[in-house]
Amino acid sequence: MQQKTGYFGEFGGQFIPEILKATFDHLTEHYLKARQDPAFWAEYKALMAEYSGRPTPVTFAANLTHKLGGAQIYLKREDLNHTGAHKANNVMGQGLLVKRMGKTRVIAETGAGQHGVATATMAAKFGFECRIYMGAEDVERQRPNVFWMEQLGAEVIPVTDGSQTLKDAINEAFRDWTGRMDDTHYCLGTACGPYPFPELVSWLQSIIGDEAKTQIQTLAGKQPDRVYACVGGGSNAMGIFSGFIDQPGVELVGVEAGGKGLLSGQHAARLASPDGKVGICGYKTVFLQDQDGQMKDTHSVAAGLDYVGVSPILANYQKTGQVRFEAATDSEVIAAVRLLVKQEGIIPALESSHALAQAFKEAPNLRPDQVILINLSGRGDKDIFTIADAFGDQKWKDFICHKAKQYEGR
Ligand SMILES: *Cc1c(COP(=O)(O)O)cnc(C)c1O
């Protein structure tokens, strides 16, 4: 059966205001042209080599493998990217596309601020004007990222509508785009949203899987038995999975935010829990929504996984059985951070630690000749506030109180 353009099985599509249709068509045309042009990918790879240290290495976690006593554990080191995560791949690739489209201004939504910082970095590098939409609540909570976005030259707009968080920021970014389509590109942050974004972002992130499949072959002498990635919107998972999706015998595992547990209702597991329901909000996918179709509040210790929607491509992979979905709870995630830091000297992002937590659960049940590859999507320096709290570090509390005292009365 012929697949309808922009659909992945029953998911995906493009549910947008009529006024944006021509802009989406323009973007789709340039995306498809870039995809057929080997010069685009060559330019992209060269840029990522020069600016973001690609290819990122694959590291054999020898101590951890020994400690867990099962499968060999390898890590794809997206934490070593410029700005600390795989988000650099997406924004730099879209930056090249913006140049090709002849546009000069970029806008983006951001929740925790990581995609905002990445976009502002790209804009500084390319010389684009940049505006970041962020829920007013998030602006309050994520001051370090807001500080850097502003230093990078971006204008950060606090959105005071609704719940003052990510979904309100997305609405506001679309409103901006509607008013300035000629010179502006909306640099969407993950493999979600109306077509072509899920496919465009996944394509740019496929650089991860491309590298990883040859690296793991060289290091381990075989293809992995299992590949793990955390799933927020789904972009780092799509990136690493792309290298293995057609390989027989490689099991792909997407790990969502289990929050306080799937039974607590406080989580962001759209595919791994029965709470996800098929719906349409710009695109068709599985959302966490109530009986009336209202989007639910989500919870995760990792701000980057705290999202109601998920990539329509991943929703389809669940249907086709090509990817298995699991959830890791906040406390399992904190334990995984502690273990990786101590055993391997690597500080993982809380998001990435969901993939670690699930892999650590499964590794001891596998044989020593089996190989697992975990996508370490980002580094955890940004999470020091949350991690130090979770570890209950008194000296960190003293430090924060001391700093606060210094500022008092100024
Ligand atoms: C943003 C982020 C994620 C979640 O986004 P995906 O699109 O699901 O990859 C995961 N890990 C890190 C480190 C992030 O910054």
Side-chain angles (χ1 to χ4, degrees):
M1 197 181 77
Q2 181 68 30
Q3 179 75 46
K4 240 167 78 185
T5 308
Y7 278 82
F8 316 95
E10 66 170 293
F11 303 107
Q14 194 185 65
F15 299 83
I16 52 171
E18 191 57 34
I19 190 172
L20 280 170
K21 186 77 174 77
T23 302
F24 270 84
D25 288 349
H26 182 243
L27 173 64
T28 303
E29 182 193 320
H30 277 269
Y31 150 61
L32 292 173
K33 225 158 68 187
R35 213 173 158 148
Q36 271 147 29
D37 177 7
F40 181 90
W41 196 258
E43 188 182 1
Y44 172 54
K45 265 175 74 167
L47 173 66
M48 295 313 288
E50 177 220 354
Y51 193 60
S52 197
R54 300 206 76 91
T56 58
V58 166
T59 302
F60 176 47
N63 301 333
L64 210 53
T65 297
H66 181 72
K67 189 172 173 72
L68 294 176
Q72 300 163 44
I73 301 171
Y74 292 82
L75 308 170
K76 176 63 172 163
R77 302 292 306 282
E78 290 303 299
D79 59 312
L80 296 179
N81 271 291
H82 182 47
T83 71
H86 68 292
K87 290 193 165 69
N89 306 329
N90 175 38
V91 294
M92 298 311 288
Q94 288 199 43
L96 288 177
L97 211 53
V98 173
K99 257 191 3 189
R100 288 199 166 196
M101 292 189 290
K103 295 187 171 184
T104 55
R105 179 174 178 266
V106 290
I107 57 172
E109 84 294 349
T110 196
Q114 294 303 115
H115 176 57
V117 170
T119 304
T121 301
M122 176 271 278
K125 168 87 172 154
F126 283 104
F128 299 143
E129 191 186 326
C130 179
R131 183 181 268 196
I132 305 294
Y133 288 94
M134 192 169 184
E137 180 103 346
D138 289 331
V139 171
E140 291 303 313
R141 290 190 292 205
Q142 308 287 346
R143 181 51 55 184
N145 280 336
V146 174
F147 174 82
W148 284 122
M149 282 181 245
E150 288 175 348
Q151 303 315 307
L152 288 159
E155 188 185 0
V156 180
I157 309 287
V159 177
T160 52
D161 289 352
S163 57
Q164 312 199 349
T165 55
L166 181 60
K167 53 183 192 282
D168 313 293
I170 295 172
N171 290 339
E172 205 54 40
F174 270 108
R175 210 164 295 152
D176 176 309
W177 208 13
T178 311
R180 276 188 75 168
M181 292 176 285
D182 289 349
D183 69 344
T184 298
H185 173 66
Y186 178 7
C187 186
L188 207 136
T190 186
C192 285
Y195 184 78
F197 283 111
E199 206 178 82
L200 163 62
V201 175
S202 298
W203 176 55
L204 293 169
Q205 293 292 1
S206 72
I207 196 168
I208 304 173
D210 265 6
E211 292 172 2
K213 71 177 168 212
T214 38
Q215 289 170 315
I216 195 78
Q217 185 69 43
T218 306
L219 277 171
K222 61 176 284 203
Q223 287 300 296
D225 294 276
R226 288 186 196 168
V227 179
Y228 296 84
C230 66
V231 180
S235 71
N236 87 89
M238 282 302 301
I240 192 138
F241 290 169
S242 71
F244 305 97
I245 194 88
D246 297 325
Q247 298 250 11
V250 183
E251 191 184 8
L252 306 177
V253 186
V255 189
E256 296 182 298
K260 297 186 175 157
L262 295 188
L263 297 177
S264 71
Q266 291 186 282
H267 62 79
R270 295 114 332 158
L271 299 173
S273 87
D275 300 346
K277 305 271 181 290
V278 177
I280 294 174
C281 183
Y283 60 113
K284 187 175 173 189
T285 194
V286 176
F287 292 97
L288 284 174
Q289 49 190 339
D290 63 20
Q291 304 295 71
D292 306 326
Q294 285 297 318
M295 296 302 161
K296 283 192 189 171
D297 285 333
T298 52
H299 166 84
S300 172
V301 70
L305 302 186
D306 206 347
Y307 181 52
V308 286
V310 67
S311 176
I313 309 180
L314 287 176
N316 185 47
Y317 281 160
Q318 181 180 43
K319 267 258 157 91
T320 60
Q322 285 166 286
V323 177
R324 161 163 67 94
F325 289 89
E326 304 285 352
T329 64
D330 290 352
S331 53
E332 290 167 338
V333 164
I334 293 294
V337 171
R338 205 189 281 272
L339 197 59
L340 194 74
V341 172
K342 283 262 163 67
Q343 294 294 316
E344 299 293 336
I346 296 170
I347 302 173
L350 283 166
E351 290 82 5
S352 326
S353 301
H354 286 69
L356 294 172
Q358 186 63 31
F360 296 172
K361 267 186 256 178
E362 298 181 14
N365 304 323
L366 297 178
R367 298 185 313 268
D369 64 309
Q370 291 185 296
V371 167
I372 67 180
L373 175 64
I374 306 166
N375 198 28
L376 197 67
S377 55
R379 65 173 184 236
D381 308 52
K382 68 179 175 66
D383 296 319
I384 188 163
F385 292 92
T386 312
I387 295 174
D389 255 1
F391 284 5
D393 189 275
Q394 184 58 43
K395 288 175 222 150
W396 173 258
K397 275 187 215 158
D398 295 345
F399 163 74
I400 295 289
C401 291
H402 180 71
K403 272 281 162 210
K405 277 219 186 71
Q406 277 185 327
Y407 282 116
E408 256 168 40
R410 273 205 208 162

